[in-house]
Every structure is written in structure tokens, then in C-alpha cells.
Amino acid sequence: MRVMAYIHSLKDKEQDRHVLGEATIIKRIGDNLYLADYNGVKCTAIFNPFTGRYYVDDIYGLRMDGEV
């Protein structure tokens, strides 16, 4: 499903705030852990129920094919 999510690599460092971008949540892979796709990069994401948004980690949460 396509969602608006906070993307790690889009963080506004000057203002120290997260920035929204469009990502695809592919599937759930753990307890509040999801496989996401952002600009062709498979990575991990979590869902924050308090903000109602996914947080996609396309820097440290990279996934290799077959790692799911």
C-alpha cells in the first residue's frame, strides 16, 4: 500500500525535523516491523500509532533480497 511516511534520508538537518515522503509498505515482517520500498530501495519501517504514520529507515534499515 502507498503511504505518506517519514523518510529517514529526507530529514531536514538544518531544522532538525522529519520530512514526509511517499513509500510503499510491502508486508509485515515482525511485531510492528514492516518491509517498505522507497525509490526502489527495500528497507524496514515501523508504525507509530500516536502519530498515525510510518517511519521508513532507508539509511540503516536496508534489506537485501532474501533477507525477509
Side-chain angles (χ1 to χ4, degrees):
M1 89 180 123
R2 302 284 295 170
V3 297
M4 291 303 291
Y6 290 107
I7 310 296
H8 192 168
S9 65
L10 297 181
K11 184 173 182 176
D12 180 358
K13 294 177 180 121
E14 191 173 298
Q15 300 294 322
D16 193 33
R17 62 183 179 155
H18 296 287
V19 177
L20 286 171
E22 193 171 293
T24 302
I25 302 300
I26 300 171
K27 67 179 180 178
R28 186 176 183 169
I29 57 175
D31 201 25
N32 196 28
L33 186 63
Y34 299 87
L35 177 64
D37 183 288
Y38 175 68
N39 284 345
V41 176
K42 285 188 174 57
C43 49
T44 57
I46 61 169
F47 181 76
N48 183 328
F50 298 104
T51 62
R53 298 279 186 190
Y54 286 91
Y55 288 75
V56 176
D57 188 356
D58 62 330
I59 295 177
Y60 301 110
L62 297 180
R63 304 291 292 194
M64 300 298 173
D65 289 337
E67 238 187 272
V68 177

